[in-house]
Amino acid sequence: MQHAIARSIFAVIAALAAGAALAAPTVELKVTGVIKPPACLPTFSGGGVVDYGVIPAASLNAGQYKTLDKKQLSFQVSCDAPVKMGVTFNDNRATSRVGGIVSAVSANPNERFNFGLGTVAGKNVGGYALTLEPALTTGDGAPVDNIYTTDNGRTWSAAVGLDHINLFAFAAKGDNKPVAVKQLSVMINVQVVLNKPEELPLTQDVPLDGSATIEVKYL
């Protein structure tokens, strides 16, 4: 009996070994890759710095906001292929906004156009508004329109001012919907308004500290 069992076990082992010896070698084929939008690089003229230099405290009048001269900087986006794009402006000094301070220089008195200028010794320095030069906005060298949306792209309207809430984009003239471009150029006006002198700690230096992050979004 034991010899019969041993022979059976040996037969099973031999059969398995023979099957293993006959198994064909295998190799795996993989299909990989990634679909990516065109790469875009945003830049500002002057490194994105708008410098007002030294502002004498004596130039501020009691009870009044002080409007500084308008300055301009060019915003450009270069992509490696045409793409529909939009931009958003995030106010990094939102907690320092002075309500209503840019109403006289903004395209719209709405507070969404009011960007903060930072805080010194617990006092808010002022604000600034960003507006566009419509005639100087170009896509691939041709004039394009500035547009914005308040409903995630379902509808678009003409834009003159830039705010810290909505998405801004660029359309072929008269088309009113985003157009794909490879090279975008936008001229932005910066208008600063300083707080009333009695609201500022003028016994020390009061630096202007506006900061906004501009993000390019693919549409």
Side-chain angles (χ1 to χ4, degrees), residues 71-217:
K71 290 184 177 289
Q72 291 185 323
L73 73 167
S74 175
F75 173 65
Q76 298 181 333
V77 183
S78 298
C79 305
D80 55 21
V83 60
K84 292 181 181 180
M85 72 181 85
V87 291
T88 58
F89 292 75
N90 180 58
D91 184 7
N92 298 326
R93 301 292 183 264
T95 58
S96 71
R97 292 178 196 146
V98 178
I101 196 169
V102 299
S103 60
V105 298
S106 172
N108 189 305
N110 192 297
E111 283 300 294
R112 63 187 173 93
F113 294 95
N114 185 358
F115 290 77
L117 269 182
T119 302
V120 177
K123 301 292 187 178
N124 294 333
V125 176
Y128 63 99
L130 303 175
T131 57
L132 297 162
E133 288 288 349
L136 299 181
T137 302
T138 62
D140 296 332
V144 293
D145 288 334
N146 302 289
I147 57 177
Y148 77 102
T149 180
T150 61
D151 53 15
N152 296 315
R154 289 189 293 273
T155 60
W156 296 88
S157 303
V160 176
L162 298 169
D163 64 51
H164 43 71
I165 295 177
N166 295 309
L167 174 68
F168 294 81
F170 313 92
K173 282 294 183 180
D175 195 18
N176 208 38
K177 61 184 178 182
V179 64
V181 298
K182 187 176 180 181
Q183 300 287 334
L184 174 72
S185 180
V186 181
M187 186 63 72
I188 298 177
N189 300 314
V190 181
Q191 191 84 65
V192 165
V193 183
L194 301 179
N195 208 347
K196 299 171 184 178
E198 59 268 28
E199 298 296 331
L200 297 173
L202 296 181
T203 57
Q204 64 182 82
D205 287 351
V206 180
L208 279 59
D209 185 33
S211 172
T213 300
I214 291 81
E215 181 179 358
V216 176
K217 297 189 175 184

Side-chain angles (χ1 to χ4, degrees), residues 15-26:
L16 292 173
L22 294 175
T26 64

Side-chain angles (χ1 to χ4, degrees), residues 51-75:
D51 187 3
Y52 277 89
V54 176
I55 305 161
S59 67
L60 279 64
N61 296 317
Q64 299 179 20
Y65 297 134
K66 181 177 178 62
T67 301
L68 303 184
D69 293 338
K70 179 176 68 177
K71 290 184 177 289
Q72 291 185 323
L73 73 167
S74 175
F75 173 65

